[in-house]
Amino acid sequence: MFLLHRRLPSLARTTFLCNSMEPAVTATTSSFGGSSRLAALAQQLRLYKPPPSSSFDDAEETQADQETAGKVVSQVGLQESMAPILKDPERFKPKRAAVLICIFEGDDGDLRVILTKRSSRLSTHSGEVSLPGGKAEEDDKDDGMTATREAEEEIGLDPSLVDVVTSLEPFLSKHLLRVIPVIGILRDKKTFNPTPNPAEVEAVFDAPLEMFLKDENRRSEEREWMGEKYLIHYFDYRTGDKDYMIWGLTAGILIRAASVTYQRPPAFIEQCPKFKYPKMVEKHTCMP
């Protein structure tokens, strides 16, 4: 192990076979350090496509949206009277960011994901557990480049070691960042030696991906937003002599990533809020 110190679409619509005879891209075990499991996972995940992004071009949806515009409450918890997003879309349009869900095969054959503990000196989310990632830059050609570039800056992960296989539906952070989770597979964990940037990262560690589907070492807190009740999930994780809490946006993304990877829903109730999304935020953007 590394240690340095919504409406969501139904899984029934995204069921894939790891041993598919016609993968979109053929992966070989030699590409993944001899791991047949990672090769099969790469084939499976390359077939996954998130719900198509919609700008509400469909006339019927657009009409419905316009008819209810006076009653719509934005996904970020602000009423239109407080944030006139329909009158001035650019004021609400969220900035784009991407995070890397970097999966590798552990010594026991389990799938694990690389996580970081943010520096306590940061102005936002200091000391919290997060996925490597950050805001998109003008030169980034796609979300995969954003996620891998940020991972290299934060933890020294060479992008050439990661096979980017798919992206999940976007999530909207409380700071109005439209976060795209990018799933990448670390071809050979032995080639990666974490070197965290001390200005941003306090520790680098990994956790079993499947834990985000289990109702163990998990608790939740019910909240109400815009008349809808929803749950915030907290996962407690201990590795070595360190204890970590994974919650909020990071937990929501990892629950979704684990569901797609293992092709099954979590063993607990997610209870995501059901919002009517304004035109400027694509309707498949999730708010955990």
Side-chain angles (χ1 to χ4, degrees):
M1 293 190 295
F2 306 125
L3 181 60
L4 299 181
H5 73 354
R6 126 190 66 205
R7 180 172 176 175
L8 298 178
S10 169
L11 288 180
R13 294 167 56 190
T14 55
T15 301
F16 311 116
L17 297 178
C18 289
N19 61 348
S20 172
M21 297 302 292
E22 297 180 354
V25 179
T26 301
T28 61
T29 56
S30 61
S31 301
F32 297 95
S35 171
S36 58
R37 184 176 191 186
L38 291 183
L41 179 63
Q43 291 182 4
Q44 170 196 318
L45 291 177
R46 284 193 182 103
L47 294 174
Y48 174 78
K49 301 296 181 185
S53 295
S54 171
S55 58
F56 280 23
D57 289 335
D58 182 89
E60 188 172 313
E61 287 186 305
T62 302
Q63 182 178 359
D65 183 62
Q66 292 173 342
E67 289 175 353
T68 57
K71 301 178 181 178
V72 171
V73 181
S74 86
Q75 169 182 26
V76 293
L78 299 176
Q79 293 185 1
E80 279 188 17
S81 59
M82 299 171 63
I85 55 178
L86 292 180
K87 296 179 181 178
D88 189 0
E90 291 303 316
R91 291 181 60 185
F92 179 75
K93 187 176 181 180
K95 294 181 179 180
R96 197 176 186 91
V99 294
L100 180 64
I101 304 166
C102 189
I103 299 172
F104 68 95
E105 189 171 17
D107 294 335
D108 296 328
D110 58 335
L111 298 178
R112 306 185 70 85
V113 61
I114 297 174
L115 295 166
T116 71
K117 181 179 180 182
R118 291 168 59 86
S119 170
S120 58
R121 296 191 294 271
L122 291 173
S123 59
T124 58
H125 304 290
S126 59
E128 293 185 5
V129 171
S130 67
L131 290 156
K135 295 179 183 178
E137 294 186 355
E138 192 171 327
D139 294 336
D140 292 343
K141 65 178 183 179
D142 54 30
D143 297 313
M145 184 173 181
T146 299
T148 55
R149 174 184 55 76
E150 286 285 339
E152 183 175 30
E153 293 176 4
E154 292 180 12
I155 62 176
L157 177 57
D158 187 337
S160 67
L161 302 178
V162 180
D163 188 357
V164 173
V165 290
T166 195
S167 296
L168 304 180
E169 47 270 57
F171 285 69
L172 189 66
S173 79
K174 66 181 181 180
H175 296 294
L176 299 191
L177 280 176
R178 188 168 182 265
V179 182
I180 312 298
V182 174
I183 298 183
I185 296 178
L186 181 62
R187 296 188 181 95
D188 186 351
K189 66 174 183 175
K190 296 177 182 177
T191 60
F192 173 47
N193 181 30
T195 53
N197 178 350
E200 298 185 61
V201 176
E202 185 175 306
V204 182
F205 66 101
D206 56 88
L209 182 62
E210 195 174 15
M211 71 174 274
F212 299 101
L213 296 179
K214 297 179 179 180
D215 197 12
E216 301 171 6
N217 301 314
R218 183 198 69 88
R219 63 187 187 280
S220 61
E221 177 182 323
E222 185 177 75
R223 296 187 183 182
E224 186 171 331
W225 198 6
M226 298 181 286
E228 292 282 348
K229 292 183 179 180
Y230 68 100
L231 296 177
I232 292 181
H233 299 278
Y234 299 79
F235 293 88
D236 295 310
Y237 180 63
R238 183 176 182 83
T239 177
D241 60 349
K242 303 296 181 182
D243 292 307
Y244 298 99
M245 182 174 67
I246 305 160
W247 70 288
L249 179 66
T250 300
I253 290 175
L254 289 170
I255 291 170
R256 181 63 189 147
S259 297
V260 170
T261 299
Y262 287 97
Q263 303 177 26
R264 70 175 193 266
F268 49 85
I269 297 174
E270 280 188 85
Q271 196 170 331
C272 298
K274 298 177 181 179
F275 302 123
K276 183 167 183 63
Y277 301 107
K279 189 173 183 178
M280 285 57 63
V281 177
E282 294 171 356
K283 64 179 180 179
H284 292 297
T285 299
C286 309
M287 183 69 186

